[in-house]
Amino acid sequence: MSVTDELLANAERYAAGFDKGDLPLPPAKQVAVVACMDARLNPYGVLGLAEGDAHVIRNAGGVVTPDERRSLAISQRLLGTREIILIHHTDCGMLTFTDEEFRTAVQQDTGVRPDWSAEAFTDLEDDVRQSIARIQADPSIPHKDAVRGFVYEVETGRLREVKR
Amino acid sequence: MSVTDELLANAERYAAGFDKGDLPLPPAKQVAVVACMDARLNPYGVLGLAEGDAHVIRNAGGVVTPDERRSLAISQRLLGTREIILIHHTDCGMLTFTDEEFRTAVQQDTGVRPDWSAEAFTDLEDDVRQSIARIQADPSIPHKDAVRGFVYEVETGRLREVKR
């Protein structure tokens, strides 16, 4: 049995106990979270989110790229969110390599050099600030008064705010 | 008190009960999930995921754009994942507008037309297949034998597989 099959068995159990079929499309708490994809960071657990509460956007690093700006623009303009919470975390994989190394390795293995940046970074807090700056600079995202950035500590479970 | 402050109070409670400080960086189940950011879709609940299990990548629609391909390439090449689960869902906001409408509305409101596609779609299952096709076409993502796509039914809590 594949891991996917194992998780599908979990999904059947979830459906059997499901009682949330009437939740509206817009997030109840009017908040969007942008977080790293890291397996140890569970935004539902950390922030106490339940089904219906918040948009959750995630990628490698929790960095703001054009796709996160697209998602945030749709979240705010069409679905009413007003606050943004950015979460990077300690011991992040993005701290362990450089863009150049990653793209060169892909090129050596496949013959094709990626035409995108790997978005690696060397300083967690600086990259949170850079992600906030990218949001602030994007006219497609209308609500910017409540954009706050955090580092999640995988060692302690704590969330600490990044000072601007 | 802002919603962010309310969620930070939840985060303090999470940290107070935290006992998972020794989880390794690579996901234990060697799986990456790509899902819509929708508030009603909780991948942890649906798939029975716990901290440490899986990479979770999310955006508006759960569509595969260059940023998801970047995240999946990093997930597989550097952190050992081998299976991919794609999840779109019923009643998705992405079914309610077109790229052209969205970009024109932003242009009218801000003066600046987005230079990215909004990635709107008209058929859920076709868009899941398109996302799978984008993964299959990307040489940066090495492991493609276990890529499966699903539609989550927000009305019933069920996950149904999309046939190729």
Side-chain angles (χ1 to χ4, degrees), chain A residues 3-6 10-11 29 39 44 46-47 52 56 58-60 67-68 70-71 77 83 109 117-118 148, chain B residues 3-6 10-11 29 37 39 44 46-47 52 56 58-60 67-68 70-71 77 83 109 117-118 148:
Chain A
V3 170
T4 299
D5 288 321
E6 176 195 323
N10 293 343
K29 295 197 181 292
Y44 292 82
V46 173
L47 299 174
V56 182
R58 303 183 68 177
N59 66 11
D67 194 47
E68 283 62 52
R70 174 186 73 86
S71 296
R77 293 182 55 92
E83 299 181 38
D109 288 351
S117 164
R148 292 168 66 183
Chain B
V3 169
T4 299
D5 288 321
E6 176 194 323
N10 293 342
K29 295 196 180 294
M37 70 179 179
Y44 292 82
V46 173
L47 299 175
V56 182
R58 302 183 69 176
N59 67 10
D67 193 48
E68 283 63 50
R70 175 186 72 87
S71 296
R77 292 181 57 92
E83 299 181 39
D109 287 351
S117 163
R148 291 166 67 181

Side-chain angles (χ1 to χ4, degrees), chain B residues 74-132:
Chain B
I74 291 168
S75 175
Q76 290 196 348
R77 292 181 57 92
L78 302 182
L79 296 165
T81 66
R82 293 293 177 265
E83 299 181 39
I84 299 174
I85 295 175
L86 298 166
I87 308 179
H88 284 38
H89 64 91
T90 56
D91 194 39
C92 187
M94 307 300 288
L95 294 159
T96 65
F97 62 91
T98 67
D99 270 14
E100 177 66 20
E101 284 165 7
F102 187 79
R103 291 197 282 181
T104 299
V106 173
Q107 183 176 1
Q108 285 170 347
D109 287 351
T110 70
V112 183
R113 190 172 184 83
D115 53 6
W116 32 262
S117 163
E119 297 285 347
F121 47 78
T122 56
D123 185 297
L124 268 179
E125 306 216 339
D126 275 355
D127 199 73
V128 172
R129 289 187 200 99
Q130 176 56 220
S131 286
I132 293 173

